[in-house]
Amino acid sequence: MIELEGVPELIDPVMVAAFEGWNDAGDAASTAVAHLEREWKGEVFAALDAEDYYDFQVNRPTVWMDAGVRKITWPTTRLSVVRVGGDKPRDLVLVRGIEPSMRWRSFCNELLGFAHELGVELVVVLGALLGDTPHTRPVPVSGVTSDPDLAQRMDLEETKYEGPTGIVGVLQEACTHAGVPAVSLWAAVPHYVSQPPNPKATLALLNRLEDLLDLRIPLGELAEDARAWQVGVDQLAAEDTEVAEYVQTLEEARDTAELPEASGEAIAREFERYLRRRDVNPPPGGHATADGTDSASYLRDNPSGKTRPPRPPKPDTPGNPGNPADTDDSADSDEDLGPEGGDTSED
């Protein structure tokens, strides 16, 4: 049941959504929406009924104490509204939750009901996936849509993916069939360091969202957290010769593929994007130290506990067809790169 009491009339609203689970490698996407909610002090105005969409044996409720009283938090999806100030203020409807266990079509229809009632003009869904990408390079972020007109207007890739999908892909298609413009932004997370958090991937998603919506997002300590994360992974990778060699192989493959893009025009475009996002001097050099996380929890490519990465594909051949994160380096900047020619297995 949709409850919209107390929600003011919104200005040019855009819905930004992210869901924990299969579509959220390193928790990068859900952390990005949580960051927006925290920085702009969003207030929750609605929540979907957990009984309708979640298997509580898969996503269990949690018990906590509030002033000596035991309370239960149920897994669900919540909506909040934040107003972005500036010369052209606008509102963001933030959707953050867990990928539902059941009734995906009803789930999407309920979210679209909120979008319709609130006058949402665009839906942006954030996602993150595991990929053969080195942690030492800029995080590839792809922007995809099912709408060819929207793809041309917003310089996005038109999705051509076929295969298994998650709630991000289903919601985007539901928006398309309902006539609501929708975009998915995907960050590629190194599969050998997939454990959350991944502030570098979160930062890349927020930067791309800034470009897409032409707004400025306060980043707080996220940039410093991303630098600290990379330093920590550098140190942990250096302790394992095989992992270090694998990272070097990924770097060489990435650099070779991107060589045609390393032109003066491409560099100028990226610098202009940076200036649009930031009107202040860059932070001083230097890095924070790692937080001491055990290397076994970081350098692991799958839940089985293996720390040895697989052999990467040769740079001139397609990636493993079973890997949803094969990347296409034909985009015009590091953060525009996307899997499967601008598409993903989750979309």
Side-chain angles (χ1 to χ4, degrees):
M1 182 176 183
I2 297 177
E3 297 289 344
L4 297 176
E5 294 182 4
V7 179
E9 184 175 352
L10 304 183
I11 302 173
D12 300 329
V14 172
M15 178 176 283
V16 181
F19 304 94
E20 299 173 19
W22 196 56
N23 310 269
D24 193 24
D27 290 355
S30 58
T31 301
V33 173
H35 178 88
L36 297 176
E37 195 172 43
R38 181 173 60 253
E39 291 294 325
W40 279 318
K41 299 178 173 55
E43 300 231 354
V44 174
F45 67 87
L48 277 61
D49 190 339
E51 294 274 350
D52 291 339
Y53 304 114
Y54 294 99
D55 180 346
F56 298 140
Q57 291 182 327
V58 175
N59 296 291
R60 292 186 178 276
T62 57
V63 178
W64 55 287
M65 301 296 292
D66 181 17
V69 178
R70 290 171 62 84
K71 295 187 176 181
I72 295 178
T73 298
W74 296 93
T76 189
T77 294
R78 295 177 173 83
L79 292 86
S80 60
V81 173
V82 299
R83 176 150 295 177
V84 182
D87 296 335
K88 296 180 180 179
R90 76 181 314 169
D91 293 303
L92 299 183
V93 180
L94 304 180
V95 179
R96 182 160 63 101
I98 304 169
E99 183 177 63
S101 307
M102 61 194 82
R103 302 186 183 91
W104 283 22
R105 285 175 292 186
S106 298
F107 180 87
C108 292
N109 287 338
E110 189 162 355
L111 288 180
L112 285 172
F114 281 108
H116 175 73
E117 292 295 326
L118 294 169
V120 166
E121 301 175 348
L122 174 69
V123 174
V124 181
V125 193
L126 306 183
L129 55 106
L130 301 180
D132 291 327
T133 182
H135 72 277
T136 54
R137 297 295 187 264
V139 175
V141 177
S142 61
V144 297
T145 180
S146 298
D147 185 335
D149 294 333
L150 190 63
Q152 184 175 12
R153 188 168 71 250
M154 304 188 78
D155 192 24
L156 302 165
E157 294 287 340
E158 186 178 353
T159 179
K160 297 286 194 298
Y161 172 74
E162 295 178 302
T165 190
I167 193 61
V168 171
V170 172
L171 179 57
Q172 178 169 314
E173 290 308 304
C175 291
T176 300
H177 291 303
V180 179
V183 175
S184 296
L185 299 181
W186 289 93
V189 173
H191 67 85
Y192 59 89
V193 58
S194 60
Q195 281 68 28
N198 190 318
K200 188 173 181 178
T202 296
L203 181 62
L205 281 170
L206 292 175
N207 284 340
R208 188 66 191 278
L209 185 65
E210 283 185 321
D211 292 340
L212 185 73
L213 301 182
D214 192 22
L215 52 81
R216 178 169 178 184
I217 297 172
L219 298 178
E221 298 179 355
L222 193 55
E224 185 61 27
D225 290 343
R227 285 191 290 270
W229 176 87
Q230 181 163 325
V231 170
V233 179
D234 285 343
Q235 293 173 347
L236 294 167
E239 296 173 2
D240 188 313
T241 303
E242 190 168 356
V243 171
E245 291 176 353
Y246 177 64
V247 172
Q248 184 177 2
T249 303
L250 291 178
E251 291 172 340
E252 292 171 353
R254 173 84 174 265
D255 295 344
T256 299
E258 291 176 0
L259 188 59
E261 291 297 322
S263 64
E265 183 180 352
I267 294 172
R269 282 199 303 268
E270 183 60 26
F271 187 62
E272 289 174 0
R273 292 176 64 200
Y274 175 81
L275 292 179
R276 285 199 303 270
R277 290 198 299 258
R278 296 287 166 266
D279 56 7
V280 296
N281 293 326
H287 304 286
T289 58
D291 62 4
T293 305
D294 180 69
S295 61
S297 65
Y298 259 111
L299 304 176
R300 186 171 295 162
D301 59 342
N302 61 54
S304 68
K306 294 181 180 179
T307 58
R308 176 174 298 181
R311 293 285 182 184
K314 295 181 180 180
D316 58 348
T317 62
N320 181 354
N323 185 348
D326 297 336
T327 58
D328 173 9
D329 298 320
S330 61
D332 63 358
S333 75
D334 282 330
E335 292 184 357
D336 289 336
L337 302 173
E340 294 287 340
D343 202 356
T344 74
S345 66
E346 288 90 342
D347 181 30

